[in-house]
Amino acid sequence: MGKEVNGVSRSRFEMFTNSDEAVINKKLPKELLLRIFSFLDVVTLCRCAQVSRSWNVLALDGSNWQRIDLFDFQRDIEGRVVENISKRCGGFLRKLSLRGCLGVGDSALRTFSQNCRNIEMLNLNGCTKITDSTCNSLSKFCPKLKHLDLASCTSITNLSLKALSEGCPLLEQLNISWCDQVTKDGIQALVRSCPGLKCLFLKGCTQLEDEALKHIGAHCPELVTLNLQTCSQITDEGLITICRGCHRLQSLCVSGCGNITDAILHALGQNCPRLRILEVARCSQLTDVGFTTLARNCHELEKMDLEECVQITDGTLIQLSIHCPRLQVLSLSHCELITDDGIRHLGSGPCAHDRLEVIELDNCPLITDASLEHLKSCHSLDRIELYDCQQITRAGIKRLRTHLPNIKVHAYFAPVTPPPSVGGSRQRFCRCCVLL
């Protein structure tokens, strides 16, 4: 093959002859051309490969194919395409996304695993044909794997997690959302052998109970992100273990976990001061008492989803306005006890002027145009949701937009029934779902 230059053998460069008349090929060293090609995306590389024989060699060189996302290129990928890519890229490939490629199965990914043993990031989100066999292949051939996305791969079971624990000890991020066959046994095997786990997405893993969370809390001290949305069997007991064992936690989603109480908010406040994102939508047992403890201890909060936390009042907003100066996104939809006074405190708090970007107030029946007046000084406010806020008027929204002309206001106005006319029927206009 001859001496290599930047991963390309001399024999490849010998294909550039005087017969290739393109000026760029004469003026620029082939090593520099290869470097330029390294910045191109998949589509552009494929186009360049069709320009000439010499460009074909450079464009299809494995060193240019270290990061590949086929989602924006072609979604009906067949297994043979993945096999061909893996043979061309070999050890160069570090990152591959096959999300949504429904035609890719275990056989293609076994060939891929054998050829691309330096892969670090692999996205198989929505590749519904794959089974535990794929994880066995990754475990056997890909020890450098750090990020793996298996969301919606519903054939995945505990066997996959056990395989990954044996062969992929460097795993930092795993998404097995909607893999509803996974239980505590799989989680236990995984976390015991992958102590560097930082992000776990377990959304829709409905068989998980507190015992699984206890294993995570005991073995994942580096955990930063945890998503347990709709894992409806978990309770305070398991989540408190997480809080006590994962002090670096920055993002927690337990939306739809209706069994949790203020005990979780107290545990977060006492153990997780770095918390930035908290999603507790539809957790109807949470109250102002819990959010007071949380706000007073977690000053880095940036995003909070409190939709359908039906017991909270203006008291929660007062505490957030005082103690959480970094708040950017706040959802209060269906929090029916919130009033204009709570929004007044929020609008005058330290987060209001430069931080607050989104506030959602859908179905807050006590909110009036006065709230919009209180938000006029929120110069960073980009979007406000006001669906079914029946005391909000068009005039109030218009006044808000004189101060914040670029704000997106989503509002709902019920259809108006016109009064009966003497001269006969009159056309009726529906004003539903107006984007103002």
Side-chain angles (χ1 to χ4, degrees):
M1 293 291 290
K3 185 178 179 181
E4 288 194 354
V5 179
N6 289 341
V8 180
S9 65
R10 289 286 188 188
S11 59
R12 294 189 184 184
F13 284 159
E14 289 170 2
M15 297 183 70
F16 293 87
T17 65
N18 291 332
S19 61
D20 198 332
E21 296 297 332
V23 175
I24 191 172
N25 291 337
K26 292 182 178 181
K27 295 293 185 181
L28 294 182
K30 306 309 175 285
E31 296 88 350
L32 183 55
L33 278 172
L34 183 65
R35 177 63 175 163
I36 294 172
F37 278 29
S38 71
F39 292 98
L40 303 180
D41 58 33
V42 172
V43 176
T44 309
L45 282 171
C46 290
R47 289 171 178 167
C48 289
Q50 300 176 54
V51 171
S52 67
R53 188 181 181 191
S54 56
W55 276 32
N56 181 274
V57 172
L58 290 178
L60 299 182
D61 188 84
S63 63
N64 291 325
W65 296 70
Q66 297 183 42
R67 299 171 181 82
I68 304 175
D69 187 342
L70 295 179
F71 186 77
D72 296 323
F73 177 55
Q74 184 178 347
R75 302 184 192 183
D76 55 345
I77 298 294
E78 297 180 358
R80 60 181 178 81
V81 175
V82 176
E83 294 177 2
N84 291 338
I85 288 175
S86 71
K87 292 173 182 177
R88 176 167 296 282
C89 299
F92 286 109
L93 192 61
R94 297 292 189 275
K95 178 180 178 181
L96 175 65
S97 177
L98 298 173
R99 58 190 175 120
C101 295
L102 301 178
V104 176
D106 293 328
S107 177
L109 286 166
R110 179 174 178 81
T111 301
F112 163 82
S113 301
Q114 291 172 329
N115 289 315
C116 302
R117 302 190 181 206
N118 292 320
I119 191 72
E120 296 176 2
M121 304 176 70
L122 180 60
N123 189 338
L124 301 175
N125 189 321
C127 297
T128 53
K129 289 179 66 175
I130 70 170
T131 70
D132 294 328
S133 177
T134 285
C135 289
N136 285 328
S137 298
L138 293 172
S139 172
K140 187 174 182 180
F141 300 111
C142 303
K144 297 182 180 180
L145 192 63
K146 293 182 179 179
H147 293 193
L148 178 61
D149 191 337
L150 297 169
S152 299
C153 298
T154 52
S155 295
I156 293 299
T157 73
N158 290 335
L159 295 176
S160 285
L161 301 191
K162 292 175 181 178
L164 292 171
S165 71
E166 294 169 0
C168 304
L170 302 181
L171 205 61
E172 295 179 359
Q173 179 171 312
L174 178 65
N175 189 345
I176 51 171
S177 296
W178 310 114
C179 297
D180 55 7
Q181 297 188 60
V182 170
T183 70
K184 65 178 182 355
D185 295 333
I187 297 296
Q188 180 181 14
L190 178 76
V191 299
R192 282 187 171 180
S193 299
C194 301
L197 274 171
K198 295 180 179 179
C199 301
L200 262 177
F201 298 89
L202 306 173
K203 179 179 179 180
C205 294
T206 52
Q207 293 197 56
L208 295 185
E209 302 172 336
D210 289 334
E211 199 65 31
L213 304 193
K214 291 178 182 179
H215 293 308
I216 296 172
H219 298 285
C220 298
E222 303 295 319
L223 196 67
V224 173
T225 299
L226 179 62
N227 190 319
L228 296 165
Q229 182 174 337
T230 67
C231 295
S232 55
Q233 296 192 61
I234 65 174
T235 71
D236 293 343
E237 184 181 359
L239 281 170
I240 289 173
T241 306
I242 294 286
C243 297
R244 290 174 177 171
C246 307
H247 298 293
R248 300 187 180 187
L249 196 66
Q250 295 182 22
S251 176
L252 175 65
C253 176
V254 286
S255 293
C257 301
N259 294 320
I260 67 174
T261 71
D262 284 343
I264 297 308
L265 301 181
H266 291 303
L268 285 169
Q270 293 165 3
N271 297 280
C272 303
R274 302 182 187 181
L275 193 68
R276 293 188 300 106
I277 299 173
L278 178 64
E279 299 178 28
V280 288
R282 303 182 302 285
C283 297
S284 57
Q285 298 188 60
L286 303 181
T287 73
D288 292 337
V289 176
F291 284 112
T292 295
T293 301
L294 182 78
R296 289 178 176 177
N297 292 277
C298 298
H299 306 303
E300 298 184 18
L301 280 166
E302 297 176 0
K303 176 183 178 182
M304 298 186 71
D305 185 352
L306 311 184
E307 181 175 350
E308 291 188 44
C309 291
V310 293
Q311 295 194 55
I312 67 171
T313 71
D314 294 337
T316 289
L317 298 192
I318 292 171
Q319 296 300 321
L320 292 177
S321 68
I322 296 171
H323 301 290
C324 300
R326 300 186 180 185
L327 199 60
Q328 298 176 16
V329 178
L330 179 61
S331 176
L332 299 167
S333 298
H334 295 271
C335 296
E336 298 184 356
L337 302 179
I338 297 295
T339 74
D340 295 332
D341 191 54
I343 302 301
R344 178 177 64 83
H345 282 278
L346 192 67
S348 60
C351 71
H353 298 288
D354 301 316
R355 294 280 186 169
L356 193 63
E357 297 177 0
V358 176
I359 184 166
E360 298 178 356
L361 297 168
D362 302 333
N363 293 92
C364 292
L366 303 181
I367 295 297
T368 74
D369 287 349
S371 285
L372 304 187
E373 294 293 319
H374 299 320
L375 294 172
K376 290 192 300 186
S377 60
C378 299
H379 303 300
S380 296
L381 199 60
D382 177 67
R383 176 167 60 86
I384 184 169
E385 304 282 340
L386 297 167
Y387 288 111
D388 210 24
C389 292
Q390 297 181 12
Q391 299 193 66
I392 295 292
T393 68
R394 291 179 181 273
I397 293 173
K398 186 176 181 180
R399 286 194 296 271
L400 176 67
R401 299 198 70 173
T402 61
H403 295 270
L404 304 172
N406 296 318
I407 191 172
K408 301 179 184 69
V409 182
H410 295 171
Y412 172 88
F413 292 91
V416 174
T417 303
S421 60
V422 178
S425 63
R426 197 175 129 185
Q427 185 176 3
R428 298 173 60 180
F429 295 93
C430 178
R431 298 185 292 165
C432 296
C433 302
V434 179
L435 176 61
L436 297 171

